[in-house]
Amino acid sequence: MSDKSIPVITLDGPAASGKGTIAERVAASLGFHYLDSGALYRIATLAALKAGVSLDDAESLTAVAEKLSPVFKDGRIFLEGEDVTLAIRSEEVSAATSRVAVIPGVRCALFELQKKAAQLPGLVADGRDMGTVVFPDARLKVFMTATARVRAERRYKQLIGRGETADLEALTADLEERDRRDSKRETAPLKPADDARILDTSDMGIEEVVKKVLTWWNDAQ
Ligand code: C5P
């Protein structure tokens, strides 16, 4: 089935802009599937780190991505039988992932896995290039932004809430560095699609953002 016959909503934006939470809620509300494309890049990165592959070795990183067969089950992610749900969210993996994601071979290997996620009754996909590269025919494209400080504060609260330690300055610097790398790369850089709706969530709560996206979706029908 072509992209056009399956309803797709894309939610792109910088790190920690809240895309995942919003995408999951919108998907649940519409009864659609949900694709967390960042998780695929994170899984590829974790697999490479585990295999001792250097982050500068594009060829070996591509080979790791090509062999990847993650299993998503009951909200958990398994890699070769191991539950990696939490491991892929560590700060170490987060920082390494934006380095791995610049490699065209890795992006190409993960492209098909992402395309396959478009299934009826519909898909909400979040990432960096969902609207520009992976699902260019999506019926609704949203590009979510928020200042690096606001995003770092949200991440800070999340980590503290989980009982972890966190440093707001370091988180802000890390997010700015990831944004820079994601925006400046040659292949599929982070940028809004020409037909994307821009949503600055700096002063918005989760419910408000979900409502806005659902309103846009209804308007797009
Ligand atoms: O969305 P999340 O923060 O989990 O993504 C982790 C990293 O994966 C991003 O910083 C980015 O480098 C990469 N990514 C990407 N393209 C996507 C999704 C994520 O390059 N569609």
Side-chain angles (χ1 to χ4, degrees), residues 3-199:
D3 276 350
K4 281 184 182 150
S5 56
I6 298 174
V8 175
I9 299 176
T10 60
L11 276 181
D12 288 305
S17 56
K19 304 178 304 287
T21 307
I22 305 301
E24 262 186 306
R25 300 241 186 151
V26 170
S29 162
L30 296 170
F32 283 9
H33 301 280
Y34 164 53
L35 170 67
D36 173 1
S37 65
L40 294 177
Y41 287 92
R42 288 170 180 273
I43 296 164
T45 303
L46 181 68
L49 292 173
K50 277 177 178 290
V53 171
S54 156
L55 296 183
D56 297 317
D57 182 351
E59 211 173 302
S60 302
L61 290 168
T62 301
V64 168
E66 281 169 350
K67 280 197 223 97
L68 214 60
S69 55
V71 175
F72 296 82
K73 197 165 175 266
D74 303 329
R76 316 286 311 170
I77 304 172
F78 298 87
L79 184 62
E80 279 157 26
E82 188 189 339
D83 185 339
V84 295
T85 318
L86 284 182
I88 62 164
R89 305 282 159 199
S90 73
E91 288 305 313
E92 184 201 359
V93 172
S94 300
T97 301
S98 64
R99 291 179 59 190
V100 171
V102 302
I103 298 163
V106 170
R107 302 201 72 83
C108 186
L110 299 184
F111 182 82
E112 284 308 319
L113 278 179
Q114 296 170 73
K115 291 298 269 187
K116 275 192 209 145
Q119 303 281 342
L120 287 171
L123 177 73
V124 182
D126 92 60
R128 303 293 185 289
D129 60 343
M130 298 296 96
T132 49
V133 175
V134 183
F135 300 109
D137 295 326
R139 274 190 220 165
L140 173 64
K141 300 178 184 177
V142 179
F143 191 85
M144 283 178 49
T145 61
T147 62
R149 191 65 179 191
V150 166
R151 289 181 282 128
E153 280 167 7
R154 288 177 184 162
R155 177 60 53 94
Y156 179 84
K157 281 188 200 146
Q158 229 177 28
L159 291 170
I160 297 294
R162 276 196 231 143
E164 294 177 35
T165 52
D167 173 340
L168 188 56
E169 295 309 323
L171 284 173
T172 309
D174 175 62
L175 284 180
E176 284 170 344
E177 174 58 20
R178 280 168 63 194
D179 289 352
R180 196 195 55 74
R181 236 185 259 137
D182 289 346
S183 310
K184 298 277 177 273
R185 68 178 176 226
E186 277 183 24
T187 311
L190 168 68
K191 64 166 190 196
D194 290 339
D195 50 352
R197 290 182 178 251
I198 311 291
L199 189 56

Side-chain angles (χ1 to χ4, degrees), residues 202-220:
S202 300
D203 298 316
M204 291 172 84
I206 293 171
E207 293 310 326
E208 208 181 336
V209 179
V210 170
K211 218 167 136 193
K212 186 83 201 165
V213 175
L214 289 172
T215 303
W216 280 342
W217 176 246
N218 286 333
D219 291 349

